[in-house]
Amino acid sequence: MQTLLIADSNDAFRQQLADAFQPYYRTLTCGNGQEALDLLCQENCDCLVLDLMLPELDGISMLETAVSRGVRPIVIAISPLFTQYTFDVAESLGIGYMIRRPCPVQAVVTRMLDLEQRVNPAWASREQINRFLLWLGVSTVYNGYLPLVEALMLLAENPSQSITKVLYPEVAKRIGSGSKAVERNIRSAIEHAWNSGNAERWQKIFPELNERPSNSLFFSRVLETLSGSHWE
């Protein structure tokens, strides 16, 4: 899991961001520029949500120092005011997006996920996985839908990870559940879709089966299908 640093002087907003980002990143937080610089460099953070008006060391100065040390995270900058100078230095410092304060927490999360996808494109995107599951008849109303999407996203990044020991616990952490519940809900979602979904589509993906595929087989066949042939 990648590491994201939230450096923001507003305690309440910083905590709201941390809660919203928790399913997607290992999240660190701080409220001043010097601490942000230390964390950014020591933890080698991949992503940064940066308040440009930080105390002790302002956001631009902090980022300039980090870049001079070879640390270049994906950056979203937040400020109540952006000047021409801000825009001029944004590109050289690697600021990918700037949001004017006040701003919705979810907007920051959405922009960061989008930026990361552009910088580090995965061969199986969240949108592709959602489309495929719906095409196969896995409904969003199933309790297992969200953990299934998260599991497939994680496996797209690292197909060799242990499903029981690593994947299920990580999905559980992302969605605030338990490992056993994740496994059970995913199995239930697959079974419901197998019994009530489009039989021809399931036959196309699992031609050798007469009964519901196991979770592990479902994972591998879905990712194999998404990486290869046209399925629609």
Side-chain angles (χ1 to χ4, degrees), residues 15-218:
Q15 186 58 55
Q16 290 171 3
L17 284 173
D19 292 342
F21 274 115
Q22 192 274 335
Y24 308 103
Y25 300 96
R26 170 179 173 255
T27 304
L28 307 174
T29 65
C30 65
N32 68 73
Q34 186 57 57
E35 186 181 357
L37 178 62
D38 294 341
L39 280 171
L40 190 65
C41 296
Q42 291 169 7
E43 299 289 338
N44 195 24
C45 299
D46 305 286
C47 305
L48 171 65
V49 177
L50 178 62
D51 174 5
L52 296 185
M53 308 294 287
L54 288 171
E56 295 191 25
L57 187 64
D58 69 88
I60 292 294
S61 299
M62 187 280 288
L63 196 55
E64 285 177 336
T65 305
V67 169
S68 72
R69 297 179 184 178
V71 180
R72 283 185 170 270
I74 300 170
V75 185
I76 287 180
I78 300 176
S79 178
L81 176 67
F82 292 105
T83 66
Q84 187 58 50
Y85 174 76
T86 309
F87 294 119
D88 290 342
V89 300
E91 185 175 356
S92 64
L93 293 178
I95 295 176
Y97 197 80
M98 292 180 282
I99 301 180
R100 193 180 303 277
R101 189 191 296 276
C103 56
V105 167
Q106 192 55 48
V108 182
V109 176
T110 300
R111 292 285 74 78
M112 180 59 78
L113 293 174
D114 181 62
L115 279 173
E116 188 192 348
Q117 178 67 27
R118 292 170 185 269
V119 174
N120 303 307
W123 58 263
S125 69
R126 187 175 297 273
E127 180 183 358
Q128 286 176 305
I129 290 171
N130 278 316
R131 283 176 51 229
F132 183 84
L133 292 178
L134 293 173
W135 176 82
L136 204 52
V138 184
S139 172
T140 57
V141 303
Y142 298 156
N143 290 334
Y145 184 86
L146 178 58
L148 186 51
V149 172
E150 295 299 330
L152 289 167
M153 286 294 296
L154 288 167
L155 285 169
E157 297 171 5
N158 179 14
S160 63
Q161 63 186 290
S162 167
I163 291 176
T164 302
K165 295 181 179 179
V166 178
L167 180 67
Y168 290 146
E170 180 59 32
V171 172
K173 185 166 65 173
R174 287 193 173 199
I175 66 173
S177 182
S179 180
K180 293 293 185 182
V182 165
E183 180 179 6
R184 181 177 62 252
N185 288 337
I186 288 177
R187 184 186 305 114
S188 177
I190 294 171
E191 185 168 8
H192 281 306
W194 171 269
N195 291 330
S196 60
N198 187 301
E200 291 184 5
R201 293 176 180 178
W202 280 89
Q203 183 66 24
K204 182 178 180 180
I205 307 302
F206 301 94
E208 77 282 15
L209 295 186
N210 294 315
E211 58 183 15
R212 168 188 66 79
S214 65
N215 289 9
S216 59
L217 177 59
F218 184 86

